[in-house]
Amino acid sequence: MTLMEDAKKGIITPQIKAVAEAEGIDAERVRSCVAKGWITIPHNIEGNSRLIAVGKYMSTKVNANIGTSRDYVDIEEEVKKAKASETFGADTLMDLSTGGNLSMIRQRIMDAVDIPIGTVPIYQAAATQKAVVDMSSDDMFNSVRKHAEDGVDFVTVHCGVNQNALEHLVTSDRIMNVVSRGGSFSIAWMLHNDQENPFYAEYDYLLEIAREYDMTVSLGDGMRPGCIHDASDRPKFMEFITLGELVKRARAVDVQTFVEGPGHVPIDEVELSVKGMKQLCDGAPLYLLGPLVTDIAPGYDHITGAIGGTLAGMYGADFLCMTTPSEHLALPSVDDIKEGAIVTKIAAHAADLVKDGQRERARAWDIEMAHARSDLDWEAQYRLAINGERARCIRESRVTGSDACSMCGDLCAMKIVRDALSGGGELDSKSDS
Ligand code: SF4
């Protein structure tokens, strides 16, 4: 029995109970959303990762992407990145390795952290052949099964990249065509072999494997726009119509899903994008990369992604895949991963401040910080800060002896008004320049 099957039968399983408690939401409400496919709890029966829930009423989750490339393989560094992701707030981790011994790297990463693990099995299928187009459909499905057996909690599979989507891509006026790596593998394979994408053509078989291990299927967006010009075009929405149908088929056999989304989207299209994708996929948890709201900031794309992620979260996105300062430039370093995780966590929290089910809990944190600021209670501020270590480091690098901070010193607005309200303190007129 899968978790969704239990939920449909009205059973509040220990997993549902645990996430309901962690999120401060009534367990029956969580059960009902799991049954409908609006909340997903990625948890392979062969794995032992921490339980987290993504979707309606749940806090906005953050995923970190790590992994080797064919050009750069340093397993110890990937393990450090995995640990940094978890330490600095990632709720899940995707191993996107394409270089080195992929099974061994995945195992090392899974052993290093407690959070759910996601992968893209087609990367390993492609690694079995010299050229991507030489994979067989058996290689693809065997790779999915191998990842399921190894305890991977969710797999990204680009099932929506079918001949129909390809046709719309070819006739579109896109600048960047396809920027999804998995999507590009599928397209190259389909064109070279003149066949339908096996993950679309034999989707029922994919679901059979996922069901056996209660593994979540993350429906990848192979047509993800790679620049704001391409953001809301036909290839993208054609793919989403297909993904909506695939979500329905997965739910019919009690397999949980996420739906992945863009990419690069200008801010005035974020609402349309999120609401459209949610509508087409009947409320399935939406997992976004960014979205990056401009194309001109390489080196700062953790920020362009956080701006889009905050907006997207406000309009209903459930799961934000972090971007790092290295996005579009290089394989991220451990420091990049740390920075990306923290910045994306800020975006997720900002979205939670206005999200149904999380608003009150999220605001309680901000209110506590406001009191600590007002009281000039620095230790409380460090404890409450998303990165207390950094906050302490900045303040202590410029200490002046004042109980305020070196920004205003004796002219601290909070001190002045507090003293004034209590009938004490006068502002030295000489200081008022
Ligand atoms: S000194 Fe200025 S910046 Fe520092 S706490 Fe007071 S008002 Fe805020």
Side-chain angles (χ1 to χ4, degrees):
M1 277 236 264
T2 68
L3 185 68
M4 183 180 247
E5 199 174 353
D6 278 337
K8 282 183 185 173
K9 288 186 173 149
I11 303 170
I12 296 180
T13 65
Q15 295 91 330
I16 291 174
K17 216 169 162 182
V19 300
E21 218 172 278
E23 300 275 348
I25 303 289
D26 176 62
E28 172 53 27
R29 191 180 238 196
V30 175
R31 182 209 61 77
S32 148
C33 289
V34 171
K36 291 184 182 105
W38 295 346
I39 291 178
T40 291
I41 303 174
H43 193 67
N44 184 322
I45 52 168
E46 293 296 331
N48 53 7
S49 59
R50 185 193 309 163
L51 290 164
I52 66 118
V54 181
K56 200 169 170 69
Y57 308 124
M58 304 292 101
S59 55
T60 307
K61 300 300 183 301
V62 170
N63 175 74
N65 281 344
I66 62 165
T68 59
S69 69
R70 288 193 181 181
D71 286 359
Y72 191 90
V73 181
D74 182 335
I75 300 171
E76 297 314 318
E77 198 173 345
E78 294 312 319
V79 169
K80 280 187 198 155
K81 288 183 201 172
K83 290 182 174 162
S85 305
E86 187 172 34
T87 304
F88 291 98
D91 300 288
T92 64
L93 184 66
M94 287 197 78
D95 169 25
L96 304 184
S97 293
T98 52
N101 180 337
L102 302 187
S103 295
M104 192 263 278
I105 294 168
R106 184 166 63 252
Q107 198 53 56
R108 288 286 312 276
I109 288 171
M110 288 172 84
D111 291 343
V113 296
D114 191 31
I115 49 184
I117 298 289
T119 57
V120 187
I122 201 171
Y123 295 171
Q124 191 155 12
T128 60
Q129 304 294 337
K130 217 166 174 192
V132 166
V133 295
D134 294 334
M135 287 180 281
S136 66
S137 63
D138 278 351
D139 290 331
M140 298 183 203
F141 286 103
N142 289 341
S143 183
V144 173
R145 181 170 286 283
K146 166 84 178 127
H147 288 220
E149 286 168 357
D150 288 353
V152 165
D153 297 296
F154 60 102
V155 284
T156 293
V157 194
H158 299 85
C159 311
V161 178
N162 59 12
Q163 293 291 347
N164 183 34
L166 187 52
E167 216 172 283
H168 284 277
L169 175 73
V170 172
T171 55
S172 74
D173 66 346
R174 277 197 168 193
I175 295 175
M176 295 196 63
N177 287 325
V178 167
V179 296
S180 151
R181 197 193 294 158
S184 72
F185 286 12
S186 302
I187 286 172
W189 190 93
M190 288 157 66
L191 288 170
H192 181 84
N193 294 287
D194 194 21
Q195 280 182 46
E196 184 54 282
N197 176 357
F199 287 132
Y200 178 74
E202 297 166 66
Y203 183 61
D204 289 337
Y205 180 44
L206 174 73
L207 293 178
E208 221 178 282
I209 300 171
R211 189 185 151 78
E212 195 178 330
Y213 293 88
D214 206 354
M215 181 173 69
T216 294
V217 173
S218 191
L219 291 161
D221 58 331
M223 296 294 160
R224 173 171 79 233
C227 62
I228 63 166
H229 171 272
D230 300 347
S232 304
D233 63 358
R234 277 180 304 124
K236 177 179 127 171
F237 280 104
M238 280 312 303
E239 184 181 33
F240 268 94
I241 291 170
T242 305
L243 295 184
E245 289 160 3
L246 298 177
V247 163
K248 204 170 161 191
R249 284 169 63 187
R251 287 176 183 172
V253 292
D254 307 318
V255 169
Q256 299 188 98
T257 56
F258 301 133
V259 174
E260 299 185 15
H264 292 234
V265 182
I267 52 175
D268 63 342
E269 292 176 27
V270 172
E271 181 177 8
L272 163 87
S273 209
V274 170
K275 291 186 173 170
M277 291 185 281
K278 275 273 181 183
Q279 180 74 24
L280 290 169
C281 298
D282 186 24
L286 187 58
Y287 174 23
L288 296 187
L289 178 65
L292 281 60
V293 295
T294 174
D295 306 331
I296 56 89
Y300 299 92
D301 277 328
H302 53 316
I303 296 172
T304 62
I307 296 168
T310 305
L311 271 176
M314 181 171 84
Y315 292 123
D318 307 284
F319 193 12
L320 306 180
C321 186
M322 71 181 210
T323 38
T324 75
S326 292
E327 188 75 19
H328 302 116
L329 300 170
L331 198 69
S333 65
V334 176
D335 280 345
D336 291 335
I337 293 286
K338 173 179 167 182
E339 195 69 8
I342 292 170
V343 169
T344 313
K345 199 75 189 169
I346 296 168
H349 175 71
D352 286 346
L353 290 170
V354 297
K355 183 173 183 178
D356 263 4
Q358 292 300 322
R359 185 185 160 101
E360 215 172 292
R361 270 161 48 111
R363 287 195 180 208
W365 183 3
D366 285 56
I367 286 170
E368 217 186 321
M369 178 61 101
H371 283 298
R373 282 217 174 107
S374 175
D375 295 343
L376 297 175
D377 181 345
W378 299 100
E379 286 306 321
Q381 290 181 57
Y382 303 148
R383 176 175 51 78
L384 291 164
I386 204 140
N387 182 357
E389 180 199 345
R390 183 178 166 115
R392 182 189 292 278
C393 191
I394 291 174
R395 175 175 154 76
E396 294 185 351
S397 67
R398 278 151 265 171
V399 166
T400 58
S402 160
D403 61 345
C405 79
S406 54
M407 177 74 185
C408 329
D410 283 345
L411 297 182
C412 173
M414 285 176 291
K415 276 180 70 172
I416 291 169
V417 173
R418 188 176 57 200
D419 289 352
L421 287 174
S422 65
E426 276 171 26
L427 181 61
D428 180 352
S429 59
K430 279 183 288 184
S431 331
D432 192 9
S433 48

